[in-house]
Amino acid sequence: MCRTATRVLEVIAGHDVKDPITRYSEGNVPNSYLKYLQNDDLSGSRIGVLRVLTDDIHPEIKTLFEQAISDLDNLGAEILDPFVVDAFDSLR
């Protein structure tokens, strides 16, 4: 999933003339995000867990979700749990 997301990011990252806020990305986007991918090491990665999105999920999905967080932690990622986005509910 991350490799796919990285490829998508390479296409969409940068300045979009129809989106003025993206002008701040000019000069701040690397030529390639793929170089940052590593096979089995997430050391130095920080992954936030938005718990507000897990309130009403099926118990089996919740178990898989928690296992995924544990797996990411075991691969060396720093898990920010919960990750809080101020006024998140107003963004829905």
Side-chain angles (χ1 to χ4, degrees), residues 12-29:
I12 65 171
H15 183 239
D16 178 349
V17 295
K18 294 182 179 180
D19 184 358
I21 196 74
T22 63
R23 74 178 184 275
Y24 296 108
S25 68
E26 289 183 300
N28 296 309
V29 177

Side-chain angles (χ1 to χ4, degrees), residues 46-53 78-86 88:
R46 299 174 72 210
I47 299 174
V49 180
L50 285 171
R51 290 283 172 186
V52 300
L53 299 176
E78 177 186 352
I79 306 298
L80 308 173
D81 186 9
F83 183 77
V84 178
V85 176
D86 293 332
F88 182 80

Side-chain angles (χ1 to χ4, degrees), residues 2-86:
C2 289
R3 293 187 186 288
T4 301
T6 300
R7 292 186 185 281
V8 171
L9 180 61
E10 290 204 329
V11 173
I12 65 171
H15 183 239
D16 178 349
V17 295
K18 294 182 179 180
D19 184 358
I21 196 74
T22 63
R23 74 178 184 275
Y24 296 108
S25 68
E26 289 183 300
N28 296 309
V29 177
N31 292 333
S32 173
Y33 286 99
L34 293 174
K35 65 182 177 183
Y36 298 110
L37 292 177
Q38 299 170 353
N39 287 332
D40 294 324
D41 182 18
L42 294 177
S43 299
S45 299
R46 299 174 72 210
I47 299 174
V49 180
L50 285 171
R51 290 283 172 186
V52 300
L53 299 176
T54 63
D55 293 339
D56 298 321
I57 62 174
H58 189 278
E60 288 182 55
I61 300 298
K62 179 133 177 97
T63 299
L64 290 170
F65 182 76
E66 295 300 332
Q67 183 60 54
I69 294 168
S70 178
D71 291 346
L72 293 167
D73 183 50
N74 290 334
L75 287 170
E78 177 186 352
I79 306 298
L80 308 173
D81 186 9
F83 183 77
V84 178
V85 176
D86 293 332

